[in-house]
DNA sequence: GATGAATGAGCTTTCATTCAT
DNA sequence: CATGAATGAAAGCTCATTCAT
């Protein structure tokens, strides 16, 4: 009955506790699926394995996800959200300093960032998991957004900005992906290659 | 009676006929698997479907291939062999005219060729079929070979040819692949992009 | 302190309130199960659905019923009780006027009544829900009771009243059920058929 | 090379043997499913049980039937075919002697026949297995056919033959079903009841 | 008592592989 | 060798029931 306790307003503690538990279960399932995906690939991702690694029962998996596909949906959404965050950050940086050089630098740095965080998951999602139409559309939409932003940033500097933007974005994406994610048969270090990529792209936008 | 019939049977021709028939069966199976792969993707590629489309029994499939994986092995090998043929052709052209510009041109033309011939099969093999370690190694080996050839061709023109060769090869491969094979969300035509890619790479090797 | 508080608490009212609440919960669960059964059939009747439609938790369902089967037991009991009420009413009517014609009329009217009230529930209970031995016995007992009452009412009018009663009851039950409940492929209206059934049965008891 | 052997023409013995084996497997699966259905009901009918009782693997069940439903389809088809055979037989008998009495006799005898052969299977199919739309339509079609045939046979004898035919057919079906198939709580023998049913129906058609 | 998250046995279906014919 | 029927492990998913809170 003291003022202090009255002020703290401990409302709905039971429901909150339950909600927390539910959320934790959801997270533990997503974490489990993510780890299986990045450690053993799509082929090893089955609902029983997800449940076992998550330390829950299959039933619990289906308590929170209508089917296996839906789990991938969430993982992909979160992954794309990370990518979009980097884009948005890049876009705001560019708006302050819209030079062609800055665009190139942000682009390469952005894709290095995207491909550096959990590269194995990125690999699984981009070339192992069979994405359905809606999922592929989401991926494409993110790419289109980046190209559009880049194109806009370049529009005052170069002619045919759309073409240049497409080339820049795809080159930055594909090459950082190959060097950081695939990591196979690359005879040169990823850092050196990233720098070189930046050089090449800068030269291209400034000259062509 | 028996003598007569025995004498008339020419032994070798029979075995040859059998071998020819065996070879035909192998081919018809591989053709079947290839078509299923390029028409309906990895998910639709099961041994019964392969046998049915090939017009043979499942048993025959296992007569000539120890398991499903082995079929993919051969298809992949042949696909890589096509790629290597283009490389070797390019290498011979380069040896006559080892200019940096020629290297870039051959490289882009080569990858356009690789990605234009049966793009759907290429797509299936490169991002649908789950390659095992050995298969991935073979793919990597071909890539390494191309990089080495390119590096050698560039060695008299530029400093750090290894880095430049890696970037050139990966850019030509990844970008032509994306534009010709994936064809998703590309706002500019593949031809324009290929030309632009060639421009960018030429500029890069000549200037940097 | 303890005495005071103990004295002030009126024990019985509390328990009664609880019992009332318990009874309400039981009712709401039964109502929920009944509606699901009549609206969507046995296949849709699962304990989670019952709880959700009842607005209670699954746990509560199991608080009041040992298992899913027990819920059906009560629903069936009540349904049979309705049938028995109609029987008892008919029996009292007959006792005032025990003519054979009256028996037939009451019988047909009774079964029409039984099958007209919530026909979909009746349908579900009689041909959708898999009744266990005990449940089937209860259904049979009700039928036996009707046959016995009918047989008694007919005993002064006809010879072999048991046989006639069995035929009368089963005909009235089965045919009104088919025309009112099943409603499949019936080329004539239910009313016409009911009248015709009554004619046939009257003729039979009066003549044979 | 003798005339005798030539005359016998032993063609395609291998294929025939295989076809026989396939057919045997199909039959053993259907037999298994039928027995489970009539012995333990729809609830016990699962594909693993069918395979085990049939002495084959689950895979074999799916070799011959696309899904569990399809097995029921065939069992139901065969069951209905038996019913139709009795109908056709009855129809031909009636055409020789189209008296109302003969119609009643054939009808009751026909339904007794239908319900006497494997009554437990009949019970399972008619009140345990959840028939889908198409299956229910097939059942209804058989019933409609019987009503139409009966109606046609009565048309020269009575007024409103459709109504009378519906009543006759449904009574014969429902009552023989109850007495022969359900066999529950029937206080009088099935034979006596069948005779009495025939009496009742005869009286009805001749008098009303 | 009430809650609803968690459980897991059990069901349907697929498909790489084997083996009797 | 060819055949294709047969196999059975394994995967996706459901739902009656339990139990920690």
């Amino acid at each position: 009955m003291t003022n202090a306790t009255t002020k703290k307003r401990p409302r709905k503690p039971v429901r909150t506790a339950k909600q927390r538990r539910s959320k934790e279960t959801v997270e533990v399932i997503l974490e489990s699926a993510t780890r299986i995906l990045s450690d053993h690939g799509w082929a090893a991702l089955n609902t029983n394995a997800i449940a076992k690694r998550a330390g829950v029962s299959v039933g619990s998996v289906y308590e929170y996800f209508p089917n296996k596909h839906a789990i991938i949906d969430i993982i992909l959404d979160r992954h794309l959200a990370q990518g979009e965050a980097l884009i948005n950050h890049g876009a705001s940086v560019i708006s302050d300093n819209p030079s062609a050089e800055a665009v190139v630098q942000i682009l390469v740095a952005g894709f290095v960032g995207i491909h550096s965080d959990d590269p194995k998951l990125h690999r699984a999602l981009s070339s192992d998991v069979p994405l359905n139409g809606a999922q592929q559309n989401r991926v494409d939409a993110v790419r289109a957004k980046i190209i559009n932003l880049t194109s806009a940033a370049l529009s005052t500097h170069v002619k045919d900005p759309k073409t240049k933007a497409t080339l820049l974005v795809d080159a930055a994406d594909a090459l950082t992906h190959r060097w950081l994610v695939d990591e196979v048969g690359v005879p040169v270090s990823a850092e050196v290659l990233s720098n070189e990529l930046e050089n090449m792209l800068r030269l291209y936008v400034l000259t062509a």
Side-chain angles (χ1 to χ4, degrees), chain A:
Chain A
M1 276 288 191
T2 61
N3 274 353
T5 49
T6 310
K7 267 187 178 174
K8 283 201 171 176
R9 263 199 306 161
R11 265 203 305 214
K12 298 185 198 167
V14 173
R15 173 160 302 193
T16 303
K18 276 181 182 170
Q19 284 180 343
R20 189 177 308 148
R21 193 146 77 107
S22 291
K23 196 160 191 179
E24 274 168 10
T25 303
V26 167
E27 289 308 320
V28 94
I29 290 168
L30 286 171
E31 179 66 20
S32 161
T34 303
R35 291 275 61 81
I36 291 171
L37 213 45
S38 82
D39 290 351
H40 307 287
W42 167 254
L45 191 76
N46 62 268
T47 53
N48 288 306
I50 293 172
K52 177 170 269 181
R53 203 188 213 280
V56 301
S57 64
V58 231
S60 285
V61 173
Y62 283 89
E63 182 91 8
Y64 296 104
F65 299 93
N67 51 51
K68 185 180 164 180
H69 217 97
I71 302 175
I72 299 292
D73 270 345
I74 305 298
I75 293 177
L76 186 67
D77 264 339
R78 293 190 176 185
H79 191 72
L80 290 178
Q82 278 188 27
E84 285 197 291
L86 278 171
I87 297 162
N88 292 332
H89 174 70
S92 72
V93 171
I94 290 295
S95 68
D96 296 342
N97 174 24
S99 76
E101 285 170 295
V103 169
V104 167
Q105 188 201 314
I106 294 292
L107 224 44
V108 173
F111 279 109
V112 166
I114 288 172
H115 291 127
S116 297
D117 177 69
D118 207 340
K120 289 166 97 176
L121 173 64
H122 189 89
R123 177 174 176 66
L125 285 174
S126 61
S127 74
D128 200 8
V129 174
L131 301 182
N132 62 25
Q135 292 169 332
Q136 189 58 56
N137 286 342
R138 288 218 304 284
V139 174
D140 293 343
V142 173
R143 175 169 173 266
K145 189 178 175 183
I146 306 178
I147 290 179
N148 285 336
L149 281 171
T150 306
S151 178
L154 293 179
S155 61
T156 55
H157 302 292
V158 302
K159 63 173 187 194
D160 199 358
K162 199 99 197 171
T163 300
K164 287 204 160 48
T166 302
L167 198 144
L168 251 53
V169 169
D170 283 348
D173 183 9
L175 297 181
T176 56
H177 178 101
R178 182 156 285 179
W179 300 329
L180 295 166
V181 177
D182 287 354
E183 280 189 335
V184 279
V186 180
V188 182
S189 88
E191 274 187 277
V192 169
L193 287 168
S194 294
N195 286 332
E196 197 69 8
L197 169 65
E198 209 177 313
N199 289 338
M200 180 178 78
L201 297 182
R202 187 186 306 115
L203 187 62
Y204 171 62
V205 228
L206 294 179
T207 313

